[in-house]
Structure formats: C-alpha cells, structure tokens
Amino acid sequence: IAQHMDAVEDSTVEEEEEGLCYRQRAEKSTGGEMRQMQWSPTQDLLAAAFADNSVVLNRLSWQRVWSLPPSDIPVTALAWRPDGRVLAVGKGDGSVLLHSVEDGRALHQFSAGATVVSLHWTQQSHESVPATGIEYKDMSADFLPPLPALDSSYSERNDKREGKHYCDPKELKSSSKRMNVLVVGDEVGRT
C-alpha cells in the first residue's frame, strides 16, 4: 500500500522540496469506492467505509478481520480509541456505534442528534500526569445511568431472561489508567 496516494508510474515518488521519497509497496483493489479510512494507532489494521455504507476491517496484508454489512444509512466518520481496541463509526442519522476490534460486535450506541461529520478520540498524555499531579479515576458509574439496551440488530449476545441485547461496560473500559474522550461533531456545529 502506498504511503503516498498520488499516481505512481515508476513506483517511486520524489518530493524535491521536502527531500522525501516514498516507495510503493503493493497495490490492492478494494472492490468498491472507499469513502472513509482510518489506520489503527496500535496495530496493522485499516478500517474502511465504502459507498454502499459497509465497514470493513483489514490487516495490512489485506486479510479481512471482520465487516459490517451494507446499510441505507451513510457512514460519515470513523475513529479509533487510542488503545486500538474500539472503533467508533459515525452515521448520517446521527448515531455513533462503538465496535470491538476483535469481532466487530457493537459494544455501545448513542445518538448525536444530527448527522455526524467528525469523530476524534483523544487520551490524556503521559506528560500531563506528572506536570499537574492529577490522576484520573473512572467514576462514571457514580454519575451516569447504566448503558441502555442495544437494538437486537447490533449485537449477537443475548440476555436470556428478557430477550434483550445489552452492552457490557467492562468491555468498553480501556486498559489504560488515563482518561480518554470521544469527541463527536455534527452537521449543525455541536460537539
């Protein structure tokens, strides 16, 4: 996969003014028009959203890890949690779904209220802890209600008592001790 997306005739691109040279490593056909893509911050994974609104997670070798089926609702944004274990998918109807990188299952869903135009997941840096002396402790359970049930179309897991699908807050927790925040921007300018 080329690190530089311009057309390459002789498989080498030289940018004289910057002194950079990129060599094309491989060329892969995606089989469809790719509208969004995000590299994992920690692994050799590429998340891609296509024109049919499907989402595919591939390894750098182009081996498919998992895929989400095509949908009538456009995929408008993708973002990785900084630890690379969760992928956020923003949609045209305002929904944001958090998917497990391991198997693609939906861990949580919420609505931004309008078409999602951007997603950015950020995490407290190492440098800010010693400088401020503040360490964050997850106390969200003290202030936020339990996560709501997911629609059955978003998960394979089933609660046998009530026949509803639930997300597990333990699976959403980062292994990191640092605070991380998913910032969602919508088409009307709210974040």
Side-chain angles (χ1 to χ4, degrees), residues 1-3 23-28 60:
I1 297 174
Q3 293 290 325
R23 193 168 291 274
Q24 184 172 346
R25 307 295 264 161
E27 189 172 314
K28 302 288 183 178
L60 183 58

Side-chain angles (χ1 to χ4, degrees), residues 80 82 120-124 179-183:
W80 288 93
H120 179 73
W121 218 318
T122 187
Q123 182 169 301
Q124 170 196 12
M179 179 176 68
N180 67 69
V181 175
L182 175 62
V183 180

Side-chain angles (χ1 to χ4, degrees), residues 57-93:
L57 185 67
N58 286 328
R59 293 213 170 275
L60 183 58
S61 65
W62 220 244
Q63 173 190 10
R64 181 164 293 172
V65 177
W66 52 258
S67 64
L68 303 175
S71 166
D72 293 334
I73 304 166
V75 174
T76 56
L78 299 170
W80 288 93
R81 188 167 76 183
D83 66 4
R85 293 178 53 193
V86 178
L87 177 69
V89 178
K91 297 213 166 194
D93 65 355

